[in-house]
Amino acid sequence: MTMSKNLIFSIDIGTTSLKAAIFYYDGKIQKFERYSYDKFSITWSNLHFLNDFYEYLQDVAIIAISAQSPSIVPLLSNGKIGQPLFYFQENTNLWHKDCPSVFLPKAAYHQQNFVYEYRATRCYLSFGDYLVYLLTGQTWTSLPQWDYQQSVWTNQQIARYNLDQEKFPPYLLANQTAGYTQEKLTCPSGIRVLGSTYDFLSALEGLDALHPEIAGDRTGSSLGLNFFFTETDMPRVMKDKPLPNLQWNIYCLLYTSDAADDLIG
């Protein structure tokens, strides 16, 4: 081991497992581990997985995080958390007409169905930003780029939902510094932690699939198929997620990979 801080620690919070890897800047993997859990669990938040990487963490320069979305956790004023709401729970959304946010419908559901928790909620965090908070003590709303604001939340949308503005942390771009690891953790303090990003986007970037007329297959516990266009007159065949520099991202999400045969066949 060297002391040159030449390693990156990448953490992905998936639907049914957390994946963590230590690798060099040239992409060579030093260590990789996968930790399975029930899809309704957030046991990853106990941070026990850090113990398996401790011997390498002194040489880590950056921690990068991606996570399932749109899933949120209410961070309460006492430091504990309320009821997590997962992206695959379609019945935990209260949609507002002409409001494209995919996170606020879950916050609105929480406000209506967990009244006392809502009153005690300090802020709402995506799963990725909750891990950022656990590592650094800082609260942010991470964005891959500014174009994503309408799909996350804006002050106008928050007001439309009649939610409290102060429960939504300020924006931070995913490539910016969110904070540094705290001394109380089972890892060295002072490691730079970046803002989090979305698992679907990081997977597509890893595939180098963010190009027009390229199809991306991101198979995990769920199967996601993406096809990209730049034509502004492309009809809305299916739902679309925002992507950098592309007007259209037509996608299909199957909640179990076993269903892929039905789609492809």
Side-chain angles (χ1 to χ4, degrees), residues 59-76:
D59 293 333
V60 167
I62 292 173
I63 297 178
I65 298 166
S66 61
Q68 55 170 283
S69 63
S71 298
I72 66 169
V73 59
L75 177 63
L76 306 183

Side-chain angles (χ1 to χ4, degrees), residues 15-229:
T15 305
T16 57
S17 67
L18 179 143
K19 284 77 67 181
I22 296 277
F23 58 93
Y24 293 94
Y25 278 88
D26 63 5
K28 179 183 177 183
I29 296 177
Q30 181 70 26
K31 183 179 178 63
F32 172 82
E33 296 289 347
R34 180 191 298 267
Y35 305 88
S36 298
Y37 42 75
D38 179 83
K39 69 177 184 178
F40 287 100
S41 170
I42 60 167
T43 54
W44 48 265
S45 63
N46 60 30
L47 303 182
H48 289 173
F49 66 91
L50 292 176
N51 295 322
D52 294 334
F53 293 87
Y54 187 82
E55 64 177 301
Y56 301 102
L57 293 179
Q58 63 179 336
D59 293 333
V60 167
I62 292 173
I63 297 178
I65 298 166
S66 61
Q68 55 170 283
S69 63
S71 298
I72 66 169
V73 59
L75 177 63
L76 306 183
S77 298
N78 61 7
K80 298 180 180 180
I81 62 170
Q83 178 63 45
L85 299 174
F86 298 83
Y87 75 92
F88 51 79
Q89 293 176 294
E90 290 291 338
N91 62 339
T92 60
N93 292 310
L94 293 180
W95 298 101
H96 195 293
K97 184 181 178 182
D98 300 325
C99 188
S101 169
V102 293
F103 285 91
L104 288 179
K106 292 193 177 296
Y109 176 89
H110 183 257
Q111 178 195 42
Q112 180 172 302
N113 292 275
F114 298 87
V115 177
Y116 294 107
E117 269 192 14
Y118 177 79
R119 293 174 183 170
T121 295
R122 170 185 166 189
C123 64
Y124 289 102
L125 298 172
S126 69
F127 279 17
D129 287 333
Y130 180 49
L131 181 54
V132 168
Y133 166 76
L134 293 175
L135 293 173
T136 69
Q138 304 298 315
T139 56
W140 298 100
T141 299
S142 296
L143 292 175
Q145 64 180 39
W146 294 116
D147 292 351
Y148 279 71
Q149 290 182 69
Q150 292 291 326
S151 294
V152 182
W153 49 61
T154 65
N155 288 338
Q156 293 81 3
Q157 291 174 350
I158 293 169
R160 192 172 299 173
Y161 270 97
N162 198 29
L163 297 166
D164 296 330
Q165 300 273 356
E166 64 269 17
K167 296 185 186 296
F168 299 89
Y171 284 130
L172 178 79
L173 291 179
N175 64 350
Q176 294 180 330
T177 302
Y180 296 85
T181 53
Q182 302 177 88
E183 198 168 318
K184 64 180 181 180
L185 299 175
T186 55
C187 72
S189 61
I191 302 175
R192 181 186 174 201
V193 180
L194 299 180
S196 69
T197 190
Y198 310 136
D199 57 353
F200 86 93
L201 181 57
S202 60
L204 293 171
E205 288 178 328
L207 289 168
D208 193 26
L210 293 176
H211 304 287
E213 301 182 9
I214 294 292
D217 175 0
R218 25 183 202 91
T219 303
S221 300
S222 59
L223 172 74
L225 299 174
N226 296 72
F227 192 76
F228 311 114
F229 298 87

